[in-house]
Amino acid sequence: MRLTCPLCGPRDRREFYYYGSEDYLQRPGPDAGPEAWDDHLHLRDNIAGEVRDLWYHETGCSQWLIVTRNTVTHEILSTELVADRKKKGVRA
Amino acid sequence: MRYSGWKVITQGLLGNKGWTPAWRDPAPKAEYDAIIIGGGGHGLSTAYYLAKNHGLRNIAVLEKGYLGGGNVGRNTTIVRANYFLKGNSEFYSHSLKLWEGLEAELNYNVMHSQRGLINLFHSDGQRDAFARRGNMMINQGDDAILLDREGVREHLPYLDFEQTRFPIYGGLLHPRGGSARHDAVAWGYARGADRLGVDLIQNCEVTGIDVEGGKVVGVQTSRGAIKAKKVGIVVAGRSSQVAAMAGMRLPIESHILQAFVTEGLKPVIHHVVSFGMGHFYISQSDKGGLVFGGDLDFYASYAARGNLPMVEHVMEAGMTLMPMIGRAKVLRSWGGIMDMSPDGSPIIDKTHIDGLYLDCGWNYGGFKAVPASGWCMAHLMATDTPHEVARRFRLDRFRTGHLLDEEGTGSQHNLH
Ligand SMILES: Cc1cc2nc3c(=O)[nH]c(=O)nc-3n(C[C@H](O)[C@H](O)[C@H](O)COP(=O)(O)OP(=O)(O)OC[C@H]3O[C@@H](n4cnc5c(N)ncnc54)[C@H](O)[C@@H]3O)c2cc1C
Ligand SMILES: [Zn+2]
């Protein structure tokens, strides 16, 4: 499996650290209460098909990537920098 | 038909023409008292104990493929009771005791072999942690022996003791640990359940769960609608999809775990051995194949196959630990879909829907749990109260903070 880093180009899977669903970007506020934290830390859609998740280019440019891929076929559909998404003003 | 040594001999003499199918192939009825979704190890044992311990007779197991085609037939078959935390410890202890009587119970050879499990350690800190774990196991009433380096050498002379990277300091021996034949466990429970009148319905995929007024009333399947008073979801790696049919979002992420087997060799590895540094574990099957595996591939996946980096990692770890296996040829590798929970421990609980129960979150340790999971899930479904040894496997423990994080790695699904 290879991921195309927007900065570094196509790279071997071993250069990346997998964190989990992009849900992790929606961090609740400190007072958000147990339901919100449970949702954030534990509950997952866990889709068999197209998902978006977070990968860290650990031995490359040290950027966080949002990777759109298919969990059934392992096909990588697109990659995007978390930093770019934040720049565009989309609430991450 | 009851199996026995005598049967094997007489059937052998009569050309093996008298064997009958081990279970029936019934068409689904319109209604059951209880339906189990999923014909893996846990689903089949749940059905068996519902019938055996609780006297229910009108039960069906609905399996989308064939019985035992999921993880129960894809795992590396380690059976152990070496857990540390209260909550896990008594559960796996109970399971190991059930294993020890399983062949007599089921009249089926599940090839349970208590050949001893040795977990190696490679530093002073790891030794302390293993000594503590061993004490917890003994407190639970199970067995554990702390071996020093020479003690390990007596059991496993073929390890590379001289390596400088991960020197072997010793190991924790769990004499009652070992392995079993994966398919046989599924088949044994299937046959046992069938003999108690349970309908085992294959090629029957559940596509919907019918709920009326907060109460489960049945399921939709590829073979039509079936009514039921109680429904248990026992589908391992597919738990999130099936629970979503009842509007639930679970604390589960599905990950891929690979395993490998070599060509058949003469007996050479007599225990189950795990390498404390490289996450590598190995045993030898009765056919002679070396069966081994390592970590998850680490990314969420529903493909029952893995990627090459983990293949390389597992081979490297194996070669570091026991260079002799480098001469064996790998025959096959495969993967299974693991239902990873955020604390690495399972869930056996009611849901917010009346009559709907959930058994999932087995991570990569659910094979050894097959007997006790069925025992406790059946208890829960029959009595509506959790079984004593499974009472901490609550679905809401993540919200309430009562986690069972055996390895202390935090709430990330792929780290357990
Ligand atoms: C490579 C590997 C190594 C492992 N090693 C070990 C080990 O050494 N020791 C250990 O204790 N554990 C081990 N495990 C874990 C263990 O195999 C699993 O935790 C356990 O088998 C899961 O429970 P099960 O047997 O019920 O699952 P499965 O056998 O996967 O059963 C679930 C069943 O549900 C069915 N299903 C899914 N969706 C539907 C639907 N909609 N309708 C109807 N049916 C459905 C599936 O087809 C499947 O047959 C390992 C797993 C793998 C993959
Ligand atoms: Zn990069």
Side-chain angles (χ1 to χ4, degrees):
Chain A
M1 185 150 92
R2 284 162 86 79
L3 301 181
T4 303
C5 172
L7 299 182
C8 312
R11 293 300 183 101
D12 189 277
R13 179 258 174 276
R14 278 169 287 198
E15 294 190 5
F16 298 88
Y17 171 78
Y18 173 85
Y19 188 41
S21 160
E22 69 165 346
D23 294 2
Y24 278 123
L25 292 173
Q26 320 274 352
R27 193 180 169 82
D31 311 320
E35 260 74 28
W37 279 103
D38 183 35
D39 196 65
H40 176 70
L41 287 170
H42 309 125
L43 303 183
R44 294 289 174 261
D45 292 332
N46 196 21
I47 290 163
E50 212 173 299
V51 299
R52 288 145 72 77
D53 42 27
L54 298 175
W55 297 68
Y56 178 58
H57 200 178
E58 193 173 24
T59 64
C61 60
S62 299
Q63 286 291 311
W64 280 96
L65 271 53
I66 301 169
V67 176
T68 307
R69 63 184 183 97
N70 189 308
T71 53
V72 179
T73 61
H74 290 165
E75 186 186 1
I76 309 290
L77 300 163
S78 68
T79 52
E80 166 189 11
L81 295 177
V82 172
D84 277 354
R85 172 129 39 128
K86 287 194 168 150
K87 244 182 265 160
K88 280 184 219 144
V90 185
R91 173 165 145 58
Chain B
M1 174 192 290
R2 229 194 117 68
Y3 295 155
S4 65
W6 178 244
K7 266 264 148 50
V8 173
I9 294 168
T10 50
Q11 282 301 324
L13 293 173
L14 297 172
N16 284 312
K17 296 210 173 74
W19 298 112
T20 53
W23 51 81
R24 297 163 296 132
D25 183 20
K29 290 190 223 161
E31 181 165 7
Y32 290 95
D33 293 336
I35 280 179
I36 310 297
I37 310 174
H42 294 241
L44 293 166
S45 63
T46 300
Y48 176 78
Y49 291 119
L50 266 176
K52 177 79 197 290
N53 295 357
H54 303 282
L56 269 74
R57 283 297 179 268
N58 192 26
I59 309 172
V61 175
L62 308 182
E63 165 56 48
K64 75 170 173 184
Y66 60 94
L67 297 180
N71 288 333
V72 73
R74 293 170 171 266
N75 69 86
T76 43
T77 71
I78 302 175
V79 175
R80 57 188 165 94
N82 60 350
Y83 280 71
F84 184 82
L85 292 180
K86 188 102 202 102
N88 280 332
S89 178
E90 61 266 38
F91 175 82
Y92 289 102
S93 181
H94 182 58
S95 204
L96 185 55
K97 287 177 198 127
L98 291 174
W99 275 106
E100 286 167 338
L102 202 55
E103 282 154 353
E105 169 76 24
L106 297 176
N107 175 232
Y108 203 88
N109 184 6
V110 301
M111 296 163 79
H112 182 220
S113 151
Q114 295 182 294
R115 58 187 70 177
L117 165 73
I118 300 180
N119 297 122
L120 300 168
F121 51 82
H122 312 270
S123 68
D124 290 331
Q126 239 184 352
R127 179 197 290 118
D128 292 348
F130 276 41
R132 188 162 172 236
R133 177 174 297 270
N135 286 334
M136 293 297 281
M137 289 158 67
I138 290 165
N139 282 344
Q140 180 58 47
D142 295 316
D143 59 341
I145 301 168
L146 197 68
L147 302 174
D148 62 8
R149 189 181 154 109
E150 290 317 305
V152 171
R153 205 192 287 275
E154 271 175 35
H155 288 278
L156 314 173
Y158 49 78
L159 298 182
D160 183 3
F161 286 88
E162 316 314 328
Q163 54 164 306
T164 47
R165 184 103 192 269
F166 302 120
I168 293 164
Y169 277 45
L172 186 63
L173 168 65
H174 174 31
R176 283 165 64 224
S179 78
R181 170 75 201 263
H182 45 16
D183 300 315
V185 176
W187 297 336
Y189 273 115
R191 173 169 166 272
D194 177 84
R195 282 163 42 136
L196 293 170
V198 174
D199 282 358
L200 306 174
I201 300 165
Q202 307 184 59
N203 297 312
C204 182
E205 177 167 1
V206 171
T207 54
I209 295 177
D210 298 333
V211 179
E212 276 169 22
K215 192 175 172 347
V216 79
V217 293
V219 295
Q220 299 292 325
T221 80
S222 55
R223 296 177 69 173
I226 309 175
K227 287 198 163 48
K229 298 187 184 73
K230 294 186 174 187
V231 174
I233 301 175
V234 195
V235 293
R238 290 282 171 175
S239 296
S240 298
Q241 275 82 48
V242 176
M245 294 170 194
M248 294 169 66
R249 193 163 176 255
L250 298 184
I252 298 289
E253 203 169 83
S254 294
H255 281 262
I256 181 89
L257 181 70
Q258 302 193 60
F260 308 84
V261 67
T262 69
E263 60 192 332
L265 304 168
K266 290 199 168 155
V268 57
I269 293 176
H270 307 290
H271 308 72
V272 181
V273 183
S274 87
F275 179 28
M277 289 317 286
H279 203 97
F280 169 85
Y281 57 92
I282 188 164
S283 66
Q284 188 166 14
S285 79
D286 291 282
K287 273 197 287 186
L290 304 181
V291 181
F292 57 96
D295 265 319
L296 296 175
D297 272 29
F298 286 121
Y299 47 85
S301 168
Y302 282 92
R305 62 187 155 76
N307 257 298
L308 290 173
M310 192 46 70
V311 177
E312 183 182 44
H313 175 80
V314 170
M315 301 298 161
E316 280 173 0
M319 288 299 289
T320 309
L321 186 65
M322 41 180 88
M324 69 169 182
I325 64 170
R327 304 295 296 273
K329 294 189 183 68
V330 173
L331 277 190
R332 279 192 304 281
S333 73
W334 64 92
I337 307 164
M338 321 301 327
D339 36 335
M340 302 299 293
S341 68
D343 62 359
S345 294
I347 295 160
I348 302 178
D349 205 354
K350 300 189 228 185
T351 67
H352 67 287
I353 295 167
D354 234 19
L356 185 66
Y357 307 83
L358 184 65
D359 177 307
C360 68
W362 293 101
N363 296 268
Y364 33 67
F367 180 67
K368 61 180 160 306
V370 163
S373 167
W375 185 281
C376 296
M377 180 67 169
H379 181 98
L380 176 72
M381 288 184 70
T383 65
D384 259 319
T385 50
H387 188 277
E388 180 60 20
V389 300
R391 69 185 196 288
R392 296 189 198 211
F393 296 159
R394 298 286 305 269
L395 175 58
D396 69 358
R397 70 174 182 271
F398 304 98
R399 182 168 47 76
T400 60
H402 293 85
L403 301 187
L404 285 166
D405 189 349
E406 187 78 21
E407 295 180 19
T409 41
S411 57
Q412 194 177 322
H413 300 75
N414 60 345
L415 293 187
H416 297 279

